[in-house]
Amino acid sequence: MNIHNSMEDAVTREVNALYDSLKNSHITWLTCDCENCRLDTICYVLNRTQPKYYVSERGMLHNALDMDDSQLKTDITALAMDGIRIINGSHRSYHSALLKNEPEASDGKMYYNFPLIMGAVYNGENFEPMENVSISLKLNDKPALMADSTWSNPAKTYKSTRGTYTFWPAAIVCDKDEGTKVFKLTFEISAKNFNPSTYAVELPLISEPSRKTSLESTYSLKIKDIFLFDKNAENPME
């Protein structure tokens, strides 16, 4: 049985089309459109969109109809442009090398490796997933650095992501004699015309002899759902 995510095809097409269009238009800020940059951009978009899987011909047809949704296309284009700008404006040590799935090598240091962090934001009045929400992540009261440039902090929700957001904080080097350490994660959530919200959670991590360079689906942290309320809901007569 083969499982396929139709979003991969749609995102790949849109990212390549945008790179080609920007290159042909001689856009000055586009410094590179190599395969690595394109793959990084595709990953950036896919990490922020809801997957659409199918296993049958009927499922493929159903997903194809979903992909005709104009708002979904708009969201993919907006995410792709964001990704292209971020990736072209950042330095990546592996940029000139081919992307490979290499085993994690130990450099003699100990690391605290963070899991993939996932959450969702909903409208507190109708329980619908929210778009255009900004979520900032602080680590021990300081803005958290991400594992690489394809992850944003603050993160943003889109209609296509159905209120979900993700973070992958960068690993932190620790002293060899350190074992378990508790990190404070603070989420600051805001959206236009809604009351902001803050949520904090403590995350204990055990030091490891290597830095994780790839995500593991089994190593993730689900944050409780966040509900935002309209600023005018408390005073409906105003």
Side-chain angles (χ1 to χ4, degrees):
M1 178 176 64
N2 294 321
I3 299 176
H4 191 70
N5 177 13
S6 59
M7 288 296 292
E8 292 183 15
D9 298 330
V11 169
T12 299
R13 285 195 300 269
E14 182 62 17
V15 167
N16 284 327
L18 285 173
Y19 266 107
D20 292 341
S21 176
L22 292 170
K23 182 179 181 180
N24 292 334
S25 299
H26 304 290
I27 301 300
T28 56
W29 57 261
L30 183 69
T31 58
C32 184
D33 71 321
C34 72
E35 181 182 6
N36 284 347
C37 288
R38 294 183 183 224
L39 288 175
D40 278 349
T41 305
I42 291 169
C43 288
Y44 176 92
V45 179
L46 289 174
N47 283 331
R48 292 158 177 80
T49 54
Q50 190 78 16
K52 294 181 178 293
Y53 297 110
Y54 67 84
V55 295
S56 65
E57 182 178 355
R58 186 170 68 174
M60 179 177 66
L61 177 60
H62 179 74
N63 277 336
L65 293 175
D66 287 345
M67 297 306 298
D68 284 334
D69 180 80
S70 59
Q71 184 60 54
L72 177 58
K73 290 181 178 179
T74 300
D75 290 345
I76 291 175
T77 300
L79 280 168
M81 284 301 299
D82 285 345
I84 292 173
R85 292 190 184 97
I86 291 171
I87 286 160
N88 267 259
S90 62
H91 171 73
R92 288 157 293 149
S93 59
Y94 59 83
H95 177 252
S96 60
L98 293 176
L99 294 176
K100 299 178 181 179
N101 292 322
E102 298 180 344
E104 295 160 3
S106 175
D107 55 6
K109 300 178 182 178
M110 298 292 288
Y111 291 89
Y112 289 115
N113 289 300
F114 288 85
L116 171 67
I117 299 171
M118 302 177 291
V121 185
Y122 296 92
N123 187 315
E125 301 297 326
N126 55 25
F127 305 106
E128 290 292 325
M130 292 184 62
E131 58 183 299
N132 296 321
V133 177
S134 176
I135 306 98
S136 297
L137 174 61
K138 288 186 176 180
L139 180 60
N140 292 341
D141 298 320
K142 295 181 180 180
L145 297 177
M146 295 293 102
D148 61 54
S149 61
T150 64
W151 299 82
S152 299
N153 185 19
K156 185 179 179 181
T157 63
Y158 297 85
K159 182 177 181 180
S160 58
T161 65
R162 300 180 183 179
T164 62
Y165 62 89
T166 58
F167 291 107
W168 187 23
I172 295 177
V173 178
C174 66
D175 296 330
K176 286 188 176 182
D177 57 350
E178 285 186 309
T180 300
K181 185 174 181 178
V182 178
F183 293 87
K184 179 185 176 183
L185 303 177
T186 304
F187 300 82
E188 298 178 345
I189 305 97
S190 61
K192 186 177 181 181
N193 298 325
F194 283 80
N195 289 315
S197 179
T198 301
Y199 174 68
V201 62
E202 292 187 338
L203 175 65
L205 295 178
I206 300 175
S207 58
E208 300 177 83
S210 62
R211 179 175 60 86
K212 292 186 181 297
T213 57
S214 60
L215 284 172
E216 299 177 11
S217 59
T218 57
Y219 189 47
S220 61
L221 174 65
K222 177 67 171 67
I223 300 301
K224 77 168 188 177
D225 294 336
I226 301 297
F227 295 87
L228 296 185
F229 293 87
D230 193 311
K231 289 182 177 179
N232 298 318
E234 298 177 349
N235 303 290
M237 301 303 295
E238 292 185 3

